Every structure is written in structure tokens, then in C-alpha cells.
Amino acid sequence: MQLNQILTLQKIQGIGNKSLIALIEFCRVNHIESVTDLQHLDLSHISKLKRAAASLNKFFTAGLLDATFKECMSDLENWKALSVQVVVFGSSYYPAQLAELSDPPAILFCRGNLELLKSARAIAVVGTRENTRLGEANAQRTVAYFSKKEFCIVSGLALGIDSIAHRAALENKGATIAVLVDVINVSPTQNLKLADQILRNEGLLISENPPNTKVIPALFVKRDRIQSGLAMAVFAIETTVDGGTMHAVKAANLLLRPVYVPDAVAAKYASLDERAMSGTQMLVNEGRAKAYSRDTYDEITSELNTLVNKWTPIPRQTGQN
């Protein structure tokens, strides 16, 4: 199914992310090339497609196909002018590791170097917006080491640890991916220059939301799972117990991917009660993360290299990006 057809499906009211993925897979298996072909099929008996079938029926009955298709064609032209590329679930550029999420994004909107999506050799380095100097130093050291070991650094371009991680990757001539709510209207605006630097240095900006999506807090929570989905491991540098970083940690825990946090004693924090690392301490105490220091970098690298070697991609088909 061509990209414009898939984007038409995405615009149908009532078809959410999971239903869209189910439709994409159904169309590929059954060699269905257009939305029009679905008009003549009864999909209600297929459990994964029951909700989508009802939405499709309303859509066709209302006669919205032609107008929606034209809107999608216009969107594609506008995105092309903005250097936005679209990657669809199951296509050649869609990351196998990302597809292992329980709710992977059906579509990725991208600006920059798509080749970064083809390798699982990536780590997420994330943390609080209100980091300490020790947190900054830990993030810089961690990124410097793993960038030189040719790991791509994934983060969210937020203020604080995320920004530090992206900048450290660039300073060490490493690859970096920023997971955003919108690849055109970058948020926060204070990091517009940093986003441009990432693009100029063969990095990548990605989002599951179409360009010019209204930025709301809930979308930042959703994007955190993508950071973990793209990465073999998550390094949570500093976070409070209820910090947004915990969303990325939770996603990594569900995927059974390692989570690492700085060893508070080795990092020489003045107090284990410091708020900025209260969440990382909790993660270690609960057995949800391993403490690390510069002395364990080599050990972690060996563990991650083993994961790369054993990584088994899900079956994928070459098709539209």
C-alpha cells in the first residue's frame, strides 16, 4: 500500500495507532493496494479490525475519501518542502527494536539521517530538566564514552540532561537521535539551535505526530516510550521519583531492556537524599536499574555488544519508507 493511502487511513476518525498498524499488516498480507479496496470488504469478523471496520464504514458512507486523499497529497508536498520523510511500520527503515513496544508508533515523521534507524546500536540518555553539576558531568562522561564506542545517543531534546546528552554526542562526533512531539515546531524553542546542529551533523529528529501537531503535555509522555523503544538500554542520569524520565524507564522495564543509573557514592553526591537523584536511588533499591560508574563502562559495553549480536529483528518487508 502506497504512503498516501496509509496516511489517508490515519486521518479517518476512530482509527487510532493500534488499529492503523492492524490495517497496515492486513493490507500487506492480503496485497491490498488502496483504501478503496477496503470499501468492499467485511472486516468486522476480524477481532483486531472490528473497531477500524466501523470507522471505515462511517468514513465511506459519509463520502469523505476523495477529499481526505487530496488532503494527504497536499500534506506530502508540504512535508517534502520541509525535508520531512515518513517511515511506516514494517517498512525497510522502521527499526525492529521499536516494533517490540506494546504500542509502537504506526508512522514516524523524520528530518535528517534515516540511516540511524537501521541499527539497534543505540542507547537512551535521559534525565531531569533541573539537573545538578554532578548530573551534567555524569551525562557528558557517559555520552563521550559510548559515542566513541559507536553507539547512537537517543534523547528527547528537553532542557537539562537531554540537551547535555545531545550536545555531548555532537562534541564527540557521535550520532544522535532526538525524539520530539513535532519535528517542525521544535519544543522547547530554546533548543531550536540545538535541533539545527543535530541536523547539520548527520543526526535525526523523529516524532510519531504529523508536522504542526499541537504540543500538549500528554504527547511528551507518549514520546518517552519511543526513546526506550529505539534503544538497547536506558541511562537515567538524574530524576525525581515522579519525574518524566520514569516513563522511559517503565517502557524499558516492560521491554526487559537494561536500565542504568549513576552510582551515587562513586559520583560523590554529598547526600543520598538529594532530590535530583531520588528517583535513580529508588530504581536501584527496587531492582529496576543497575548502578554504574566509569569503572563499569567496559563491562556494560560487553553486555550491550552481546545484545546487539543476539538481536533478532521481527520479520519486515521492504516497501514505502
Side-chain angles (χ1 to χ4, degrees):
M1 181 174 275
Q2 296 293 312
L3 179 56
N4 50 20
Q5 301 289 333
I6 293 172
L7 291 171
T8 299
L9 288 174
Q10 187 193 40
K11 283 183 176 289
I12 297 175
Q13 187 173 359
I15 293 183
N17 188 66
K18 289 185 177 181
S19 292
L20 181 55
I21 287 178
L23 280 169
I24 290 170
E25 292 182 317
F26 176 82
C27 290
R28 283 197 175 120
V29 169
N30 292 280
H31 307 291
I32 293 170
E33 298 297 332
S34 72
V35 177
T36 304
D37 294 338
L38 294 172
Q39 189 169 4
H40 310 295
L41 298 176
D42 180 11
L43 305 178
S44 60
H45 66 286
I46 303 174
S47 58
K48 284 186 176 181
L49 295 177
K50 278 186 178 180
R51 182 174 295 181
S55 298
L56 281 166
N57 287 336
K58 291 180 181 178
F59 177 76
F60 290 129
T61 300
L64 298 174
L65 178 58
D66 289 343
T68 304
F69 184 77
K70 288 179 182 177
E71 186 180 342
C72 288
M73 294 300 292
S74 177
D75 285 343
L76 283 170
E77 289 182 11
N78 293 334
W79 297 340
K80 184 178 181 180
L82 295 168
S83 299
V84 175
Q85 302 174 81
V86 184
V87 174
V88 175
F89 181 89
S91 67
S92 58
Y93 276 103
Y94 196 94
Q97 67 273 20
L98 183 60
E100 293 184 359
L101 285 169
S102 61
D103 183 24
I107 299 175
L108 294 173
F109 298 89
C110 310
R111 289 175 66 201
N113 182 12
L114 286 185
E115 295 299 319
L116 295 182
L117 294 176
K118 286 190 170 182
S119 173
R121 195 174 178 81
I123 62 168
V125 180
V126 294
T128 180
R129 291 168 173 79
E130 299 175 351
N131 61 281
T132 67
R133 289 186 178 180
L134 282 175
E136 179 176 6
N138 276 322
Q140 289 173 334
R141 261 196 314 269
T142 299
V143 171
Y145 176 89
F146 286 99
S147 289
K148 290 172 183 175
K149 294 294 182 179
E150 299 184 344
F151 284 88
C152 178
I153 306 302
V154 178
S155 200
L157 205 74
L159 301 176
I161 295 297
D162 289 18
S163 299
I164 293 164
H166 289 303
R167 288 195 180 95
L170 296 175
E171 288 165 3
N172 288 278
K173 302 188 185 306
T176 188
I177 297 174
V179 185
L180 309 173
V181 170
D182 187 335
V183 297
I184 295 299
N185 295 321
V186 173
S187 180
T189 55
Q190 297 98 308
N191 276 342
L192 276 169
K193 185 176 180 180
L194 178 56
D196 288 339
Q197 289 174 338
I198 290 171
L199 293 175
R200 287 199 305 271
N201 287 275
E202 296 296 315
L204 182 65
L205 310 181
I206 68 171
S207 175
E208 67 180 319
N209 307 302
N212 297 313
T213 293
K214 183 179 180 181
V215 176
I216 58 174
L219 294 181
F220 286 102
V221 174
K222 281 189 67 182
R223 71 90 193 264
D224 287 343
R225 81 193 193 287
I226 298 176
Q227 295 177 82
S228 299
L230 288 170
M232 302 168 56
V234 171
F235 289 74
I237 303 300
E238 286 183 333
T239 179
T240 58
V241 171
D242 57 352
T245 300
M246 289 299 183
H247 299 295
V249 170
K250 180 180 179 181
N253 289 158
L254 290 172
L255 288 166
L256 302 180
R257 296 181 191 172
V259 176
Y260 299 99
V261 301
D263 184 307
V265 175
K268 298 182 179 180
Y269 278 92
S271 170
L272 296 184
D273 295 326
E274 187 149 358
R275 187 172 183 273
M277 40 83 73
S278 58
T280 59
Q281 285 294 101
M282 180 189 74
L283 291 172
V284 172
N285 293 339
E286 292 180 351
R288 296 169 60 194
K290 298 178 184 177
Y292 78 98
S293 68
R294 69 181 76 188
D295 293 332
T296 58
Y297 283 163
D298 290 343
E299 178 185 336
I300 293 172
T301 302
S302 296
E303 292 176 4
L304 297 183
N305 284 336
T306 299
L307 288 176
V308 168
N309 294 334
K310 292 182 177 180
W311 199 278
T312 304
I314 64 167
R316 292 182 292 172
Q317 298 178 13
T318 301
Q320 292 294 316
N321 287 347

